[in-house]
Amino acid sequence: MPHTYQPRISATTLNDPLRAVEFMNGDSGRIFRTAGIGPDDLEGEIGLKKFVDFCEHASDQLGLPDFGWRVGSVFDLQNLGTLGDFIMQAPTLGAALSLFRNAFPMVQSDSELQLTLEGGKALMTYRILDTGIWPRRQDAELTLSVFHSLVKSATGPDWQPDLLSLEHESSALQSRSSAGPRCPVQIAAASNTLVFPAALLDLPLADSESPAFKAASQSMVRTARQSEREAPVAVRVRRELLMRIGRESFEQTAIATALGMSRRTLRRKLEEEGQKFSRLLAGCRMEIAKRMLRAPGAQLHDISERLGYSEVSAFERAFRQREGATPSQYRKQASACGATVLGVSALGSGPGS
């Protein structure tokens, strides 16, 4: 991304994570400093990475690996401003989740939020479209917990999802504890997804339909789309690439169409920003590759296939040319660095540290 551009999130989303830290006697000031959050960040918008880092550091400091899920289960939708107010005025659960999906860029940028139907199941999917924001375990679980609570507000407290999929490699939610989703949890998935019966989307949510809901929701969706269009073209291309790679066509014409322009116009606008589509595509592929190579058990064939290379050798060649090492060498180096960090952490946590 251009160095002046930073993914952002409404600062009010910090209200409940901060409240949870203070309720459990955590050192919020220390967490703020560690996450790089200053007084000016608490008004308007905050960098998305700072929000994610706050949640990660809060989990570590409090010794609560399920911190994100706990906060999400009591998250006040009014933290989302007007969007949160109207989500709770939606006539049905489906209308509420659809508004959440379509107007989400009002609250948080550079993120994927999808509501899809597959074989009688509804899939609510969430993912940050910036591979540099990692780890992001607590943010992912917090967000899915918000969706989980919204579904429960329509179904009742005893409801359980069919499945929870998470993009990180481990989760405290796998324990099936009463505080978690109490359902099967899949880890190392392509995205974070809550799965439940599609029939639940028709359940009523509000006591009565708000006359202003339809007009307000349409206005918020227009505002959200305009917010996305205001980002640099290179950023918008990266978003589309990171959403599409491994799922659907990410050829230049398909990306241009998704952005509402011709291939020629897209090329011209990228040139005006000093960018090329091929360079952006290569960068996104390598970012995804490095993320997957750091995950245990990922096979080169699977990585190559997801990235759209015809053969593993083509992936290995492209990776070596860009990163100066083969995928296998990179994986060994990353593993060694991880072991070193773990060793230092272990030494630093003993008596007298």
Side-chain angles (χ1 to χ4, degrees):
M1 293 186 183
H3 69 279
T4 56
Y5 179 85
Q6 294 293 328
R8 48 85 187 164
I9 186 173
S10 294
T12 50
T13 57
L14 262 178
N15 290 348
D16 282 329
L18 176 59
R19 187 177 297 115
V21 168
E22 294 177 340
F23 178 77
M24 288 180 271
N25 298 315
D27 187 344
S28 57
R30 178 183 173 189
I31 298 173
F32 274 140
R33 290 190 296 273
T34 306
I37 299 174
D40 294 342
D41 289 316
L42 302 182
E43 299 291 336
E45 295 179 335
I46 184 174
L48 181 54
K49 187 177 189 310
K50 293 182 179 182
F51 175 87
V52 171
D53 286 351
F54 179 94
C55 294
E56 292 294 326
H57 294 310
S59 172
D60 290 343
Q61 185 189 102
L62 298 172
L64 287 176
D66 60 348
F67 173 82
W69 187 269
R70 289 172 181 262
V71 172
S73 67
V74 295
F75 188 85
D76 187 347
L77 288 176
Q78 289 188 330
N79 291 324
L80 307 181
T82 305
L83 173 59
D85 292 338
F86 277 96
I87 285 173
M88 293 309 300
Q89 294 181 37
T92 65
L93 175 62
L97 292 175
S98 293
L99 176 58
F100 216 139
R101 172 197 63 193
N102 293 328
F104 194 58
M106 287 181 59
V107 176
Q108 181 173 322
S109 73
D110 298 271
S111 303
E112 174 187 21
L113 198 60
Q114 297 289 341
L115 176 61
T116 55
L117 302 180
E118 294 182 8
K121 302 294 184 183
L123 288 75
M124 196 71 186
T125 297
Y126 166 72
R127 185 168 54 129
I128 293 175
L129 297 174
D130 184 339
T131 56
I133 300 178
W134 195 278
R136 53 198 191 193
R137 174 182 309 173
Q138 301 305 323
D139 168 79
E141 296 183 4
L142 188 159
T143 305
L144 289 187
S145 183
V146 171
F147 300 149
H148 178 267
S149 296
L150 189 55
V151 177
K152 284 178 67 174
S153 69
T155 62
D158 295 329
W159 170 78
Q160 299 176 26
D162 294 338
L163 177 69
L164 189 75
S165 296
L166 301 168
E167 61 181 341
H168 35 278
E169 289 80 34
S170 64
S171 172
L173 302 182
Q174 291 177 284
S175 66
R176 297 283 192 99
S177 69
S178 59
R182 295 180 296 151
C183 72
V185 176
Q186 179 185 46
I187 58 174
S191 57
N192 309 292
T193 303
L194 184 71
V195 182
F196 55 93
L200 299 184
L201 296 174
D202 295 327
L203 291 177
L205 193 61
D207 293 334
S208 59
E209 184 171 354
S210 167
F213 175 78
K214 184 175 181 180
S217 61
Q218 290 174 341
S219 175
M220 284 186 281
V221 171
R222 286 194 296 270
T223 300
R225 290 175 178 169
Q226 179 59 35
S227 175
E228 287 192 310
R229 287 194 293 267
E230 289 173 354
V233 174
V235 170
R236 296 171 64 196
V237 169
R238 275 179 49 85
R239 290 173 183 166
E240 286 293 326
L241 288 170
L242 290 170
M243 279 194 291
R244 288 167 172 266
I245 290 175
R247 298 182 184 178
E248 55 187 305
S249 173
F250 50 87
E251 191 268 333
Q252 188 170 355
T253 300
I255 300 298
T257 301
L259 297 182
M261 61 185 76
S262 68
R263 183 185 177 109
R264 178 179 296 179
T265 300
L266 175 60
R267 183 170 60 250
R268 176 174 55 80
K269 288 183 176 292
L270 286 175
E271 288 174 352
E272 290 172 355
E273 295 179 2
Q275 297 283 354
K276 289 185 177 181
F277 182 84
S278 59
R279 187 186 308 153
L280 292 170
L281 173 57
C284 289
R285 276 174 151 175
M286 292 303 107
E287 288 174 22
I288 295 172
K290 288 189 285 187
R291 178 69 251 150
M292 294 184 73
L293 286 167
R294 289 194 292 269
Q299 301 298 312
L300 292 185
H301 176 270
D302 296 332
I303 298 174
S304 173
E305 185 176 26
R306 178 178 175 185
L307 298 179
Y309 290 98
S310 57
E311 297 178 351
V312 173
S313 59
F315 162 57
E316 291 178 315
R317 185 165 55 252
F319 191 94
R320 184 173 61 252
Q321 289 175 347
R322 188 174 179 91
E323 302 298 327
T326 67
S328 297
Q329 289 170 338
Y330 176 86
R331 170 174 274 164
K332 290 179 181 178
Q333 292 167 1
S335 178
C337 289
T340 300
V341 171
L342 288 173
V344 170
S345 299
L347 288 171
S349 61
S353 61

